[in-house]
Amino acid sequence: MRKHIIIVSAIILTGCGRFLDVQPQGEIIPKTDEEFASLIHTRLRDIEGGGDEDIIGNMETIARLEGCADDLDANIKPGDLDLYAGELINTMQLRYESIWETVRDCNIVIENLKGRNSEVAAGTLAAAFSIKGICYFNLLRSWCQPWDNDLADELPGIPVVDVFDITAKPLRGTLRQTYEYTDEQFRNALALNPSDKTYIFTEWIIKAYRARLAFWCCDWDRAEEICRDIIENSGYSLTPISGYEAMINSKYDASGEVLLRSHINNSSELDWYFSYMKGYLSSRPACASLIRLYGDNPEADVRYAACFDRKRMNVKTPECKVRLSEIVLMLSESLYHLGDEEGALRWLNELRRNRIEGAEDLAAATLPAVRKGDRIVVDALGNPVTPLLQAIFDERRKEMFMEGDRWFELKRNGRPEWWVISNGLKYTTRKYLYTAPISKDDIDLNPGLEQNPGYVY
């Protein structure tokens, strides 16, 4: 693929510019609480059945993100996964449009159920705010440039859309406006005291996404506060070594420290598809730099056998999850950025004790020096990686393998460029490719909508 070129797909879906066109060909807008609830329950069923890509994500989401990142070695055996982000340009345009369809449904529910007093209305409304907040978070991470404190009031964010107006053509807000608006959706959901698991998004799950949002936007104080709240008050605890493999490779259950995961209900007619996707995601070995993180005695780390076979192929169940381990890692890094290195190290050691047999606590004075040649060399603030931050990154890379996390770690921390060779050709992940293009359909419908840098038509 040539730099700065998008091959435009002929498939047209409903994008941001058309997200409110919900009454085509005689379809009727819902009226009762139950009818509005059905819009949300359709999305919830997709999550539980493993078909959702826009909200929690699924195996397709993981395949896309892991194929673009560097945890799997594309130089040894490319397999069937995409080699680099440049191969997914058209797909990301279509995904942008698809997410706005979900936002559209949430807006319809929010506008029409506000002020209604039934339990159905309250549960549906909380779920709609939650789903909309998660969609905006996903849009922020994939279709906006990484957070920059100095440029947050200038860099383009996502259009703020919360009114039912089929003629509206909203422009992109700033990164900061998008952060504040997304956080508002989560706060609106929490204000409804969501506790009914029928709607999936209960208090601690919403708070986990709110922590993810604050962490992504380098709001370390807020991220620390929310992560501590979850750890201390949610009732979840880190899964110990003895239960880790069963938890991480559960076929359907959200067990142990898992707050939320995709595909908890079996859909027998799709069994063949899920089996195929697991094989598809095991078609490329883990890269040597990841394996080296396990040291000379990798079997002591429960994550090693739970993730890799003897050929370094993935055996970990590839489902999108929200786990307490991620919350602990976010807390550790937030404390680091807040200057509390002792606290950061304490929480990192807490995770390690629940993953590595006979693990010796890391000490600040004896942390290994920063390695030369690592892909990530600066942190989210643009500062050089330190030994402690390297240790946090290393544990995160091992813990979150095959959960679609590494791509965003690369984007968050400097957007490094690298290349792979396939069939005699060199494919380079350029810095601009970390930020996906806004759909061409939306740009055509709304010429005032700003495209991301690096993309022209």
Side-chain angles (χ1 to χ4, degrees), residues 162-298:
D162 59 4
V163 294
F164 184 68
D165 182 357
I166 62 174
T167 64
K169 294 184 178 181
L171 302 180
R172 299 177 70 172
T174 66
L175 275 185
R176 193 177 308 280
Q177 288 170 337
T178 304
Y179 172 35
E180 293 172 350
Y181 184 73
T182 305
D183 189 63
E184 180 185 350
Q185 306 312 303
F186 293 137
R187 287 186 280 109
N188 287 340
L190 290 168
L192 293 163
N193 300 313
S195 59
D196 188 345
K197 293 183 179 181
T198 302
Y199 297 95
I200 295 179
F201 298 101
T202 51
E203 177 186 1
W204 300 111
I205 293 170
I206 298 168
K207 286 183 175 179
Y209 269 96
R210 193 174 178 225
R212 280 182 169 181
L213 171 67
F215 184 76
W216 180 261
C217 295
C218 301
D219 191 343
W220 313 119
D221 286 300
R222 181 176 292 173
E224 182 212 0
E225 177 185 0
I226 301 171
C227 287
R228 283 193 186 277
D229 184 22
I230 295 169
I231 293 168
E232 294 171 2
N233 301 309
S234 68
Y236 287 90
S237 58
L238 287 172
T239 298
I241 293 172
S242 60
Y244 181 83
E245 199 281 332
M247 176 272 295
I248 206 67
N249 283 326
S250 170
K251 190 172 182 180
Y252 299 119
D253 294 333
S255 59
E257 67 177 49
V258 178
L259 283 74
L260 174 68
R261 60 160 280 177
S262 60
H263 192 198
I264 62 170
N265 287 341
N266 180 38
S267 180
S268 57
E269 67 271 17
L270 291 177
D271 275 354
W272 67 271
Y273 173 73
F274 294 125
S275 295
Y276 165 77
M277 285 301 300
K278 289 184 73 172
Y280 181 73
L281 283 159
S282 299
S283 65
R284 186 186 300 169
C287 73
S289 64
L290 171 58
I291 298 299
R292 282 195 294 267
L293 297 182
Y294 287 91
D296 296 331
N297 185 22

Side-chain angles (χ1 to χ4, degrees), residues 146-157 173-179 217:
W147 185 267
D148 185 321
N149 281 327
D150 295 329
L151 299 176
D153 293 312
E154 301 174 24
L155 290 173
T174 66
L175 275 185
R176 193 177 308 280
Q177 288 170 337
T178 304
Y179 172 35
C217 295

Side-chain angles (χ1 to χ4, degrees), residues 137-151:
F137 170 65
N138 293 337
L139 288 163
L140 179 64
R141 283 204 303 178
S142 291
W143 284 273
C144 296
Q145 296 174 68
W147 185 267
D148 185 321
N149 281 327
D150 295 329
L151 299 176

Side-chain angles (χ1 to χ4, degrees), residues 402-415:
M402 201 53 68
E403 295 184 38
D405 183 72
R406 177 65 175 176
W407 174 252
F408 293 114
E409 279 297 280
L410 294 169
K411 178 174 181 176
R412 193 172 65 88
N413 296 291
R415 291 181 291 174

Side-chain angles (χ1 to χ4, degrees), residues 12-21 93-104 107 136 139 143 157-163 165-173 438-446 449-450:
I12 299 176
L13 297 176
T14 301
C16 175
R18 302 168 61 193
F19 65 97
L20 290 174
D21 186 8
Q93 289 189 90
L94 297 177
R95 285 199 66 245
Y96 179 82
E97 297 174 342
S98 177
I99 289 178
W100 281 108
E101 293 180 355
T102 303
V103 173
R104 172 203 64 194
N107 281 339
Y136 263 84
L139 288 163
W143 284 273
I158 298 299
V160 170
V161 178
D162 59 4
V163 294
D165 182 357
I166 62 174
T167 64
K169 294 184 178 181
L171 302 180
R172 299 177 70 172
I438 302 298
S439 166
K440 183 180 184 298
D441 290 340
D442 281 50
I443 299 292
D444 289 344
L445 287 166
N446 186 2
L449 204 62
E450 183 178 352

